[in-house]
Amino acid sequence: MEARLVEITRAQNSTDDKLQELGDAQHSVNERVEELGSSQSCAGDTLQELQGVQNSVEARLVELCTNGKLQELQESIEAKLVEVRRAQNSTDGKLQELGDA
């Protein structure tokens, strides 16, 4: 009878140890779920900010197109590109002259 009590006590202690391990594991899982929830919330906030930026950009593009400013801007950029190409050609010519000298 005494041997049986020792066996039962050991089994109970083993069960208690396993329950403690499971409790610790559950606590770790709960902490990780909480971290992931915070990360998800942060990602949601960032997404919301990005959508706001996208809406602002789209509104600005509509405004530029409506006011004809986009066309002016494009023409200005193209004129600057022509100037840059001319300067590049001039530089290339000078370099060629220096190379030939």
Side-chain angles (χ1 to χ4, degrees):
M1 184 64 135
E2 191 174 313
R4 182 73 179 131
L5 284 175
V6 168
E7 187 179 320
I8 290 171
T9 301
R10 285 186 185 147
Q12 182 62 47
N13 289 341
S14 176
T15 301
D16 290 345
D17 291 344
K18 293 294 180 189
L19 286 173
Q20 182 63 44
E21 289 175 20
L22 289 172
D24 293 345
Q26 181 65 49
H27 181 71
S28 294
V29 167
N30 290 344
E31 286 179 343
R32 186 65 181 134
V33 166
E34 195 173 310
E35 290 172 10
L36 290 173
S38 294
S39 294
Q40 184 179 15
S41 176
C42 182
D45 292 346
T46 302
L47 179 59
Q48 196 169 9
E49 288 176 26
L50 289 173
Q51 287 171 336
V53 169
Q54 180 180 4
N55 291 341
S56 295
V57 168
E58 288 173 355
R60 183 69 177 136
L61 282 173
V62 167
E63 180 184 324
L64 288 171
C65 290
T66 302
N67 294 334
K69 297 290 184 188
L70 194 58
Q71 182 67 31
E72 290 176 23
L73 183 60
Q74 184 177 359
E75 289 170 1
S76 173
I77 290 170
E78 288 172 356
K80 291 290 183 191
L81 283 173
V82 168
E83 290 177 27
V84 168
R85 285 189 194 112
R86 284 185 186 144
Q88 181 65 48
N89 290 339
S90 174
T91 302
D92 289 346
K94 299 284 184 195
L95 288 172
Q96 184 65 42
E97 288 175 18
L98 289 171
D100 291 343

